[in-house]
């Protein structure tokens, strides 16, 4: 993926993450750490929560992969070359 495509996809994912963050009242980073350490196991018995947590985890992991790809590409390129300058209309 090109850098600009990674940015677009990350922003779309962030919008989806925001819905879960607002619903559950914590940031995705904190949710993910708690989920991975087993702190949220008691919520497994609730179907809606289990489904939400599964989707939230997947979206966050996708965002993490895109962020890692963005960071790797930015380290290898010249920022001036990566910058997409659009003409003003």
């Amino acid at each position: 993926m090109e850098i600009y495509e990674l940015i677009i996809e990350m922003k779309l994912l962030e919008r989806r993450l925001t819905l879960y963050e607002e619903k559950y009242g914590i940031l995705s980073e904190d949710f993910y750490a708690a989920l991975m350490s087993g702190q949220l196991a008691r919520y497994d018995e609730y179907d809606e929560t289990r489904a939400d947590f599964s989707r939230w985890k997947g979206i966050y992991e996708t965002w993490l992969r895109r962020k890692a790809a963005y960071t790797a590409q930015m380290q290898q390129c010249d920022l001036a070359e990566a910058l997409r300058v659009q003409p003003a209309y």
Side-chain angles (χ1 to χ4, degrees):
M1 281 186 149
E2 296 289 327
I3 291 174
Y4 74 91
E5 293 171 317
L6 289 168
I7 295 289
I8 291 168
E9 188 165 338
M10 286 169 45
K11 292 302 177 184
L12 291 172
L13 292 166
E14 287 169 9
R15 289 181 191 121
R16 294 177 67 193
L17 291 171
T18 297
L19 297 174
Y20 289 109
E21 292 171 347
E22 290 175 354
K23 181 175 182 177
Y24 291 101
I26 60 171
L27 294 176
S28 294
E29 178 181 350
D30 298 319
F31 158 76
Y32 189 75
L35 184 70
M36 299 311 288
S37 68
Q39 295 177 33
L40 303 179
R42 67 180 177 196
Y43 294 102
D44 285 347
E45 62 191 68
Y46 305 107
D47 290 338
E48 180 184 353
T49 305
R50 186 176 53 240
D52 276 357
F53 285 6
S54 178
R55 285 188 292 268
W56 193 359
K57 177 182 179 274
I59 294 166
Y60 186 69
E61 288 175 339
T62 302
W63 182 87
L64 287 173
R65 287 191 300 274
R66 298 302 183 262
K67 177 67 172 167
Y70 170 82
T71 300
Q73 286 189 35
M74 287 302 293
Q75 290 173 348
Q76 297 175 2
C77 76
D78 176 17
L79 181 70
E81 294 299 319
L83 189 64
R84 293 180 68 212
V85 179
Q86 301 294 322
Y89 294 101

